[in-house]
């Protein structure tokens, strides 16, 4: 156990913290490590709970929280705060945990953060940065909460469906391709069912992020209505196959819309119900919020579904119509965005666009996802190659840290390049952006397509044109490496 994690008198810690990011893969653990390392330097005891993709680790106990002088929440998605009632809680972006660990620890030690209170069974969220959160950040956190919970369904469903085609070579060229054998049909069925949950999960967890647990039921139901494309007009028709065939899914954008709408509706219900006697508090979450929340959310989504269906169809048509220069340019832009802030809002915007395109289950959508993933894999590989082949540009510590970036890059963990970009942004960022854009454009040019939104090189077996994809990745990484190594000046012998 590190010095930062050693308990002090009374069996408590000076500071407790939670770190969390949308994907729960990199930023979560980078922030935790920085907080622990900085606390060790300061002689402060700290315990950090990480809420990663594998669930919460190093979970804070009631005793840990009770004895702490303050709480730090470094997260880009909403975190349950009920257990911190009465404590000084400072909330901020997860990147603050990486870049400003000392400042966060000092704020917690001094208790210079709002006291968190739980009122009426619902948490009053501590404000980010110790002040009121901006609308943009609140929307971003709510969206990322939905995306992070949706990803396992997209990854699992996408890979299983891809495997069904790999296993069904006998059905190649026929209408039964992908399910012409029992084994292939099983993989295809399982994958499709996982994909069916994607939009309801997205909407449900966005609503839950906004309105806490009472918002989840309305969000899930609204997401399913968005997926199915049910309209008020549909209710007046015979529920037969012809009527069903005329429905148009509202798609990814519809699920986004209804997720936010459900959260707002349930929050409005909570405000309206606050005038009821306290004796009725028990029936609010069990009766009032789910019944009225589902009712109003369903009416809202069925009313707007025709509009969202038209928009979704237009977007799908535009994506399907992309070819030649236009789709290559799109690949360049999306992949370049992945390297711009390496896990920040611009990176996440490109990633969400990729998953939205993937949700259409079309070749063009899968191609966009492949380009986005290539763009995210290149930055760590640029660093790894440069520290390996241009050693005189880097310190010994950099060269050792660079080796890890081979694994980070191949695993589509862009954040491996963050320490290098933070230390020398004017050289590292342009090189990585150029390398990522090159890989994304070539991926599109070669017609590479990925049915999975994550996994990097470890899902190469299910990527269309895998050899060309690896070639695009290698060329992008080499281009970025050469540019970076040219921009950086050789170190003098004493610095090395």
């Amino acid at each position: 156990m590190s010095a930062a994690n050693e308990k002090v008198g009374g069996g408590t810690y000076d500071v407790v913290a939670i770190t969390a990011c949308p994907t729960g893969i990199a930023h979560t653990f980078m922030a935790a490590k920085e907080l622990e390392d900085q606390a060790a330097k300061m002689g402060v005891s700290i315990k950090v709970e990480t809420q990663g993709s594998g669930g919460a680790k190093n979970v804070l106990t009631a005793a840990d929280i009770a004895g702490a002088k303050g709480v730090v929440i470094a997260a880009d998605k909403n975190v349950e705060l009920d257990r911190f009632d009465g404590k000084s809680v400072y909330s901020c972006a997860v990147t603050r945990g990486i870049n400003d660990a000392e400042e966060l620890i000092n704020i917690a030690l001094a208790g210079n953060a709002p006291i968190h209170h739980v009122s009426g069974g619902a948490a009053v969220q501590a404000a980010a940065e110790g002040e009121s959160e901006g609308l943009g950040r609140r929307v971003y956190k709510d969206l990322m909460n939905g995306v992070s919970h949706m990803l396992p369904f997209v990854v699992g469903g996408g890979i299983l469906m891809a495997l069904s085609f790999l296993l069904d070579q006998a059905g190649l060229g026929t209408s039964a391709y992908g399910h012409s054998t029992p084994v292939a049909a099983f993989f295809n069925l399982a994958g499709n069912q996982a994909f069916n949950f994607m939009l309801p999960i997205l909407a449900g967890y966005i609503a839950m992020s906004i309105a806490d647990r009472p918002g989840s039921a309305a969000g899930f139901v609204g997401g399913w209505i968005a997926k199915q494309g049910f309209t008020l007009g549909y209710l007046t028709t015979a529920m037969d196959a012809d009527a069903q065939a005329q429905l148009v899914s509202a798609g990814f954008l519809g699920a986004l819309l209804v997720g936010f709408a459900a959260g707002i509706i349930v929050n409005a219900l909570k405000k309206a119900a606050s005038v009821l006697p306290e004796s009725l508090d028990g029936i609010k979450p069990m009766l009032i919020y789910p019944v009225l929340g589902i009712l109003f959310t369903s009416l809202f989504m069925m009313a707007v579904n025709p509009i969202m269906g038209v928009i979704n169809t237009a977007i799908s048509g535009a994506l399907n119509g992309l070819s030649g220069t236009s789709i290559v340019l799109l690949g360049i832009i999306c992949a370049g965005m992945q390297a711009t802030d390496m896990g920040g809002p611009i990176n996440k915007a490109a990633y969400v666009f990729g998953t939205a395109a993937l949700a259409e289950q079309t070749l063009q959508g899968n191609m966009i996802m492949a380009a986005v993933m290539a763009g995210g894999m290149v930055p760590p590989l640029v660093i790894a190659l440069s520290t390996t082949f241009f050693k005189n540009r880097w310190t010994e510590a950099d060269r050792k840290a660079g080796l890890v970036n081979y694994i980070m890059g191949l695993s589509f963990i862009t954040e491996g390049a963050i320490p290098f970009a933070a230390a020398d942004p004017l050289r590292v960022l342009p090189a990585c952006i150029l390398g990522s854009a090159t890989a994304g454009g070539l991926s599109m040019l070669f017609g590479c397509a990925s049915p999975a939104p994550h996994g990097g090189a470890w899902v190469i077996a299910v990527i269309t044109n895998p050899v060309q994809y690896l070639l695009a990745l290698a060329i992008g990484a080499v281009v970025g490496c050469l540019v970076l190594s040219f921009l950086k000046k050789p170190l003098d012998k004493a610095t090395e």
Side-chain angles (χ1 to χ4, degrees):
M1 180 179 291
S2 67
N5 278 329
E6 290 177 3
K7 293 186 178 182
V8 295
T12 60
Y13 297 89
D14 294 328
V15 177
V16 294
I18 294 178
T19 60
C21 64
T23 55
I25 296 174
H27 276 79
T28 299
F29 303 100
M30 293 171 68
K33 186 176 186 304
E34 287 297 325
L35 287 167
E36 290 175 348
D37 289 350
Q38 189 58 49
K41 293 177 183 177
M42 298 168 65
V44 173
S45 61
I46 190 171
K47 182 175 181 180
V48 184
E49 176 182 316
T50 54
Q51 296 191 2
S53 58
K57 305 293 183 184
N58 204 31
V59 177
L60 302 176
T61 66
D64 296 334
I65 297 168
K69 297 175 182 177
V71 181
V72 173
I73 307 294
D76 278 346
K77 63 178 185 177
N78 279 346
V79 172
E80 288 283 345
L81 300 179
D82 295 36
R83 51 184 158 157
F84 301 115
D85 187 32
K87 302 297 294 187
S88 171
V89 179
Y90 190 84
S91 294
C92 62
V94 69
T95 52
R96 290 283 308 280
I98 299 171
N99 301 322
D100 304 316
E102 182 177 4
E103 180 184 351
L104 298 181
I105 292 171
N106 283 329
I107 290 172
L109 288 173
N112 293 335
I115 302 299
H116 178 71
H117 295 293
V118 176
S119 176
V124 179
Q125 297 288 332
E129 315 301 342
E131 302 174 358
S132 296
E133 282 188 314
L135 177 62
R137 175 158 172 78
R138 290 203 303 272
V139 170
Y140 174 75
K141 287 175 67 176
D142 296 333
L143 172 60
M144 287 300 107
N145 194 63
V147 170
S148 65
H149 285 89
M150 176 193 76
L151 279 180
F153 294 87
V154 185
V155 174
I159 291 178
L160 287 174
M161 281 194 288
L163 288 174
S164 74
F165 294 106
L166 286 177
L167 295 170
D168 194 18
Q169 296 305 303
L172 188 65
T174 70
S175 60
Y177 183 45
H179 52 85
S180 70
T181 67
V183 173
F186 169 75
F187 278 88
N188 195 280
L189 175 66
N192 267 296
Q193 295 314 304
F195 251 77
N196 283 338
F197 282 102
M198 185 179 72
L199 297 185
I201 291 293
L202 174 66
Y205 279 98
I206 289 175
M208 189 173 178
S209 179
I210 296 170
D212 217 343
R213 284 186 293 272
S216 59
F220 285 125
V221 174
W224 182 255
I225 291 174
K227 179 190 180 302
Q228 296 298 106
F230 292 128
T231 66
L232 294 174
Y234 175 73
L235 300 178
T236 64
T237 64
M239 297 184 67
D240 55 21
D242 291 337
Q244 186 78 31
Q246 293 175 8
L247 297 176
V248 179
S249 173
F252 192 90
L253 289 181
L256 287 181
L257 175 65
V258 77
F260 283 101
I264 292 169
I265 287 169
V266 173
N267 270 344
L269 290 173
K270 289 160 76 172
K271 186 175 182 180
S274 64
V275 301
L276 296 176
E278 288 188 10
S279 59
L280 297 178
D281 280 355
I283 71 168
K284 293 178 185 177
M286 296 302 296
L287 181 64
I288 296 175
Y289 301 149
V291 172
L292 296 182
I294 291 173
L295 171 64
F296 292 134
T297 300
S298 299
L299 287 172
F300 168 81
M301 198 60 218
M302 293 179 79
V304 302
N305 250 342
I307 299 171
M308 298 307 300
V310 170
I311 294 173
N312 189 51
T313 300
I315 293 173
S316 298
L319 290 177
N320 293 337
L322 288 174
S323 61
T325 304
S326 60
I327 199 166
V328 171
L329 180 60
L330 182 62
I332 290 172
I333 294 171
C334 290
M337 288 173 68
Q338 282 281 285
T340 302
D341 56 359
M342 301 182 187
I346 297 175
N347 169 285
K348 288 296 187 290
Y351 187 68
V352 169
F353 178 70
T355 54
L358 186 65
E360 298 299 320
Q361 299 186 49
T362 64
L363 175 61
Q364 284 81 356
N366 289 10
M367 289 173 66
I368 292 170
M369 191 68 248
V372 168
M373 188 156 67
M377 295 166 69
V378 164
L381 295 176
V382 167
I383 300 299
L385 290 173
S386 183
T387 54
T388 299
F389 295 103
F390 296 87
K391 297 181 186 294
N392 63 345
R393 266 73 167 175
W394 306 91
T395 65
E396 182 179 356
D398 289 335
R399 293 195 292 269
K400 289 180 179 178
L403 293 175
V404 179
N405 276 277
Y406 282 111
I407 301 300
M408 301 282 270
L410 292 174
S411 302
F412 184 29
I413 302 176
T414 317
E415 290 85 347
I418 286 178
F420 297 87
D424 191 6
L426 294 180
R427 294 180 178 88
V428 173
L429 287 178
C432 289
I433 292 170
L434 182 59
S436 291
T438 300
L442 289 174
S443 174
M444 286 292 198
L445 185 64
F446 295 152
C448 303
S450 174
H454 218 290
W458 312 117
V459 295
I460 194 67
V462 301
I463 293 178
T464 306
N465 300 328
V467 175
Q468 292 94 321
Y469 191 67
L470 291 176
L471 180 62
L473 190 64
I475 293 173
V478 169
V479 167
C481 167
L482 293 175
V483 172
L484 175 58
S485 302
F486 173 78
L487 292 175
K488 286 186 72 70
K489 302 298 182 183
L491 303 175
D492 56 54
K493 294 297 182 182
T495 306
E496 289 186 64

